[in-house]
Amino acid sequence: MSQSKRKKKKKGFFVRSRTAGYYPTQSHWFSIMSLHGRRRSTRLNRNRAIQRAPRTGSETHTGPYFGGGKEKSMSSTEQAAKSSLCGKKRKLVARFSPAQSCASQADKALQPQLRIREKCFSNQRTLTITTPRGFSLAQSVCSYGYFGLCPNEWIPAPPTLREDAGEYTRPYTFGTPHAEEFAVVASVTQPDRRGDEDCIVVRFVGGSVPATPEHVAQVTAQISRVLRLGWKGLDAFHAVHPEARARKFGRTFRSPTLFEDMVKTLTNCNMKFSGTVRMNRLLCACVGHASTFDGSAAGNAKVTAHAFPTPQQIVDAHATLQERCKLGYRTSWIVDLAQRFLRGDINPAAIEQEPCSATVQRTLLGLRGFGPFASFNVMQLLGHHNAFPFDTETVRLFREEHGIKPGVKSKDVFEIARKHYQEYAPFQFLAYWFELWKNYERQKGLVSTRWEVTFAEKL
């Protein structure tokens, strides 16, 4: 090659070479890179980082979705090396705006410690979440009737094992609300630590894997809400109710989001529980995201789980919602509720962090379909345990357990119940529900932690 062809010409911050194209001068190498030089430098630095990093075994990462994806399969060591290179230019920090949070501000301040560990679980990711001392997974899940509604699944422990050896599974929706949303099926178990710090283990077993710390934080916040991991009132309740303390009862079950709790409350009004079960099953099966996973816990080869529909999905399906989901007159209420969430008329974070029960009650009573029972029920799900969601079950309970005669009117029974549970203030609802829950267990002849709720039964 002639001397003239090898001659290099400067052009701005770049040097031109006929053999290598444009590339930056040495003085600007670290500030401006050409595409060719950047790719080559990244490959070299990544390979060097992988050689220096210790090997930890056959850990795998397959990208944002289970069963593959566009990312090339790589070991967790390679993934760590790659992240270290990208971390200099951008950091992925778990954060979410108050408007998108499904937990109250108080729950955020008490957010449990989160440790992420990747293991070789056939393309599954595992999270370990530290829980409060003395936490019981079985008592937290099997404590309120909504755990028996779709899309929840509870596989109890065998009779020979402790009750906390059961497994709780359901889909969770994450992503950008009302825009790009995904569903992941997560299984929650509680290992026997025998004196070590209490924790639960979360395995992503199907659907779309949360691929960023922000998405992982969204799912973790929903699990924390379901199990009330951030609630600090348990010791105070146990101080006035020794029987509940002996059973570790108090963290009553609720849904991952306020919207799901409110919809399920509407399906529970003026309806037998079997009808509530049917409506929620159809809502999930006909409208929610579908995810397939290995149902080893239930003994099935493949199980399809349907997430609870989001407000956007409810609005999109409103034309056929009544016919497909058998909601009856509740259809217009549920669609109106979803539209309010989409417009921002209902701010979940503001409602969840509101400390005044009267303010929350006034807000709920202003919504279509929310009368005294529905508003009181949502209030107790929000943590206002001084609410009184009394209904026909209250009348039945006081007739069977307290000798109230059949001729007594319902409103008089409700007043008797208020006075009866006043000694447990401000935890009147928890005392009432503990007594009613034991009544349900006697009817079934089995403690609730041994009840089985599976996807196979519902779908």
Side-chain angles (χ1 to χ4, degrees):
M1 184 178 295
S2 64
Q3 183 69 21
S4 60
K5 290 185 178 181
R6 291 196 301 268
K7 186 176 180 180
K8 302 175 182 178
K9 298 180 181 181
K10 286 191 176 182
K11 186 175 181 180
F13 290 135
F14 295 91
V15 173
R16 182 182 180 184
S17 170
R18 292 182 180 274
T19 58
Y22 286 99
Y23 63 92
T25 60
Q26 186 173 2
S27 60
H28 297 89
W29 179 261
F30 294 104
S31 59
I32 303 176
M33 286 186 176
S34 68
L35 181 61
H36 173 77
R38 179 170 52 193
R39 286 178 175 173
R40 183 174 181 275
S41 176
T42 302
R43 285 197 302 270
L44 291 175
N45 290 338
R46 178 182 161 212
N47 291 337
R48 290 169 186 164
I50 292 172
Q51 291 175 2
R52 291 194 300 266
R55 294 288 178 178
T56 58
S58 59
E59 303 173 2
T60 60
H61 177 80
T62 59
Y65 302 101
F66 278 116
K70 293 185 178 181
E71 294 188 20
K72 181 181 178 182
S73 178
M74 61 182 69
S75 68
S76 63
T77 305
E78 294 173 322
Q79 187 72 14
K82 181 178 179 181
S83 300
S84 66
L85 294 174
C86 300
K88 297 179 181 179
K89 291 189 176 181
R90 59 184 177 88
K91 294 182 179 179
L92 295 176
V93 181
R95 65 172 76 90
F96 26 156
S97 65
Q100 297 175 358
S101 173
C102 63
S104 66
Q105 195 69 25
D107 285 342
K108 285 185 186 179
L110 301 170
Q111 190 68 25
Q113 181 183 358
L114 172 64
R115 299 191 302 275
I116 301 178
R117 295 198 295 246
E118 294 185 7
K119 296 184 178 180
C120 185
F121 272 110
S122 301
N123 299 335
Q124 298 170 1
R125 282 187 73 182
T126 303
L127 309 180
T128 300
I129 304 177
T130 302
T131 60
R133 177 66 66 179
F135 172 79
S136 170
L137 175 64
Q139 289 294 337
S140 297
V141 173
C142 308
S143 58
Y144 190 68
Y146 286 4
F147 96 97
L149 300 178
C150 274
N152 300 298
E153 176 182 78
W154 171 252
I155 303 299
T160 56
L161 298 181
R162 58 189 180 88
E163 64 179 13
D164 285 326
E167 182 176 8
Y168 170 62
T169 307
R170 69 158 288 157
Y172 298 87
T173 303
F174 65 93
T176 305
H178 322 320
E180 188 176 27
E181 297 177 323
F182 309 95
V184 60
V185 182
S187 171
V188 181
T189 56
Q190 184 177 15
D192 187 6
R193 303 304 291 263
R194 298 186 182 277
D196 297 339
E197 64 177 359
D198 295 339
C199 69
I200 55 176
V201 176
V202 181
R203 290 189 302 136
F204 297 145
V205 298
S208 302
V209 183
T212 67
E214 182 176 2
H215 290 166
V216 171
Q218 290 180 17
V219 176
T220 304
Q222 294 181 56
I223 295 174
S224 177
R225 187 185 193 277
V226 169
L227 303 176
R228 300 185 190 257
L229 297 182
W231 184 49
K232 273 195 168 181
L234 185 64
D235 291 338
F237 170 60
H238 284 172
V240 298
H241 205 305
E243 187 180 359
R245 177 180 58 199
R247 182 167 166 169
K248 298 182 179 181
F249 179 91
R251 301 183 189 275
T252 48
F253 181 89
R254 58 181 177 175
S255 303
T257 64
L258 175 62
F259 176 73
E260 182 175 337
D261 272 338
M262 295 178 75
V263 172
K264 287 184 172 177
T265 297
L266 290 177
T267 63
N268 195 28
C269 294
N270 301 320
M271 174 62 62
K272 293 183 178 179
F273 195 70
S274 58
T276 302
V277 170
R278 182 185 69 253
M279 284 187 282
N280 282 274
R281 173 178 60 83
L282 293 174
L283 274 171
C284 294
C286 299
V287 186
H289 293 287
S291 303
T292 303
F293 67 100
D294 292 329
S296 57
N300 302 321
K302 288 292 182 180
V303 176
T304 300
H306 296 258
F308 196 85
T310 63
Q312 186 64 60
Q313 290 175 320
I314 291 290
V315 172
D316 293 342
H318 76 279
T320 60
L321 200 62
Q322 180 173 354
E323 180 182 354
R324 297 165 64 195
C325 301
K326 312 300 182 184
L327 298 175
Y329 62 86
R330 300 170 184 81
T331 304
S332 60
W333 297 349
I334 294 174
V335 172
D336 179 71
L337 181 67
Q339 290 173 342
R340 287 176 178 268
F341 270 85
L342 291 177
R343 291 195 305 262
D345 297 344
I346 298 177
N347 187 338
I351 295 179
E352 298 229 25
Q353 68 186 14
E354 175 57 54
C356 180
S357 299
T359 302
V360 175
Q361 185 181 16
R362 284 195 300 270
T363 301
L364 295 173
L365 288 174
L367 303 175
R368 291 186 59 194
F370 285 86
F373 170 79
S375 58
F376 276 136
N377 193 62
V378 174
M379 286 173 63
Q380 65 86 9
L381 291 168
L382 287 168
H384 298 272
H385 295 125
N386 56 345
F388 299 98
F390 295 151
D391 59 358
T392 55
E393 285 298 283
T394 310
V395 177
R396 183 189 61 80
L397 175 69
F398 270 73
R399 287 176 179 172
E400 294 180 5
E401 304 290 343
H402 299 277
I404 299 297
K405 296 181 180 180
V408 180
K409 295 181 179 180
S410 297
K411 63 178 182 178
D412 296 329
V413 176
F414 295 164
E415 187 60 31
I416 294 173
R418 285 191 181 92
K419 294 179 180 179
H420 177 77
Y421 297 111
Q422 188 60 36
E423 62 176 301
Y424 300 102
F427 307 106
Q428 296 98 311
F429 170 79
L430 291 180
Y432 158 67
W433 192 255
F434 181 68
E435 185 175 2
L436 182 59
W437 199 244
K438 292 191 300 178
N439 182 272
Y440 288 148
E441 291 177 332
R442 284 194 292 271
Q443 288 182 2
K444 197 173 182 65
L446 190 67
V447 293
S448 58
T449 55
R450 302 296 178 176
W451 298 353
E452 183 174 359
V453 179
T454 64
F455 293 128
E457 292 179 357
K458 301 168 181 176
L459 302 176

